[in-house]
Amino acid sequence: MTAIDDKPANADANPRGMTLWPATALVTGTIIGAGIFTQPTWLAQYGPISLVGFALTALGSIALALVFARLARRSPDVGGPYAFARSGFGDFVGFQSAWTYWIGAWVAVGAIASSMVIYLGVLIPPVVENKWLSAGTAIAVIALLTWVNGKGAVTGAKTSLVLTVLKVVPLLLIGTLGFIAFNPDNLGPFNGSELPTVEVIAAVMAYTLFSFIGVEAATIPAGDVHEPDKTIPRATMIGTIGAAVVYLLSTAAVFGAVPNEELQSNDAAFSIAAENMFGSWAGPVVALLAVISCLGAMNGLLLLSGQIPMAAEFDGLAPKVFGKLNINRAPATGLLISSTLAAGILILQFSGVSVCNAVAVLVLVSAVATMISYSFSAAAQIKWLLIDRGQMDVKHLVRQMTVAVIALAFCIFALYGGGTQEIYWLFMIIMIGVPLYVFILWRRQKQDGQANEEPAEPYSI
């Protein structure tokens, strides 16, 4: 990893203060965002069979988490998916991994901020009565979280820990104590659609697999993680499995607490379920829980949107501005750029112009774009296993290879499920990155040439 001119003097004395639980919260908090509160409505059209598809998605995500855990043990470098892709397939693939992931991250921040305002409007109606007040509130929250992450990755992760606890504990209460209100008659037919079982499960998996984006979160700020070769794999697995348990338990509880027909026709599924479980006071509490959930996901994505291009810049594969670190070793300028772009997405969303349709497509593209990085990481793991096959026990090799192949297939299925239009726009994003990559290489070669032409200092005794 190359040094940068703007690196602070204390950068090498990094205390690596991100321990297991803040790193775990970064994973769980990034995975569990706004989607969990709207998924039951969409899944209800298929009936309880959708929980089977959701469970299979969770298993695929755990396989992907296992891949990231193994790669983190092999190479606990800053940048996570970017670093794995670059070490496995070279600079160009590494650049594309960082480029697509970064775009996916800041677009998602803007999208989640929009959802947060909607949930906040349940508690404070004036917030949603004026679109510019809505936009201003969302942008103010993004600015606050950018400031928090400007205090360093460790502070950002500790913030994620607090927010994750605040949202996971109530969700677990819904997914455990909420079963008191479980009524089997509410479930309806096992397969409520006219589609074959295989098609239903495939559709559910294509929809829910994006809910697990964030399994790689602990691998990205590796430079700030305490004992990264141990902490990152543990945080990745605990965080992913924890998110899967919360998802499945809470969704199943909602299915049993609200009649299927009502569930299909109401976007506030969790609020209705909570009122049926605990009383009328629980509805507003769920709205507050949704706001906290959005804040946690936004915080994690903002942290990652600064760390990924920073890691690429350290290797000479991103504009120099992304490698500028402040006194807290945070990529403050990169964070500011990412948050400004996220705010731009918000302004387009709230402006009411036709561009909003493009923004909606871009949000889906951001999820598909993230799968590009995941695919490169899974493929890199397969490559390293093939290289190391002569040094590994056969059973261990087969087990690890099976997990890696499942993870890669999971990513490919995600790309397929993203839709033709989204794949087209993803291809355009990749192509736009090509001239940027060429410019970065040209700049790097020019700087290397100038360095070689500088006269050496005279030798003196």
Side-chain angles (χ1 to χ4, degrees), residues 49-63 201-202 204-205 208-209 212 248 406 410:
I49 190 176
S50 60
L51 295 176
V52 177
F54 204 173
L56 291 175
T57 303
L59 291 176
S61 299
I62 291 172
I201 291 178
V204 170
M205 289 183 67
T208 57
L209 50 83
F212 285 90
L248 292 171
I406 290 173
F410 178 73

Side-chain angles (χ1 to χ4, degrees), residues 103-117 138-139 142 298 301-302 338-339 341-347 349-350 359 363:
I103 291 176
W106 60 257
V107 169
V109 169
I112 295 173
S114 177
S115 298
M116 181 213 66
V117 170
I139 290 172
I142 291 177
M298 289 167 59
L301 287 166
L302 271 173
S338 299
S339 61
L341 289 169
I345 290 290
L346 273 169
I347 291 173
Q349 286 180 308
F350 285 106
V359 173
V363 169

Side-chain angles (χ1 to χ4, degrees), residues 424-444:
Y424 168 79
W425 283 107
L426 175 61
F427 176 76
M428 294 300 296
I429 289 173
I430 291 173
M431 294 306 296
I432 291 172
V434 172
L436 177 61
Y437 176 75
V438 172
F439 170 78
I440 290 170
L441 287 186
W442 171 79
R443 185 206 66 187
R444 188 170 68 180

Side-chain angles (χ1 to χ4, degrees), residues 408-425:
L408 181 58
F410 178 73
C411 295
I412 294 172
F413 185 77
L415 292 171
Y416 169 77
T420 304
Q421 186 178 19
E422 285 69 32
I423 295 296
Y424 168 79
W425 283 107

Side-chain angles (χ1 to χ4, degrees), residues 334-395:
L335 284 168
L336 181 60
I337 292 172
S338 299
S339 61
T340 300
L341 289 169
I345 290 290
L346 273 169
I347 291 173
L348 289 176
Q349 286 180 308
F350 285 106
S351 65
V353 298
S354 59
V355 180
C356 288
N357 293 329
V359 173
V361 173
L362 195 57
V363 169
L364 293 176
V365 171
S366 73
V368 177
T370 306
M371 288 295 157
I372 294 292
S373 290
Y374 287 5
S375 299
F376 287 145
S377 295
Q381 172 69 347
I382 293 173
K383 173 187 173 180
W384 295 125
L385 287 172
L386 290 173
I387 291 174
D388 297 340
R389 64 185 183 279
Q391 306 170 19
M392 299 175 64
D393 176 75
V394 174
K395 291 183 179 180

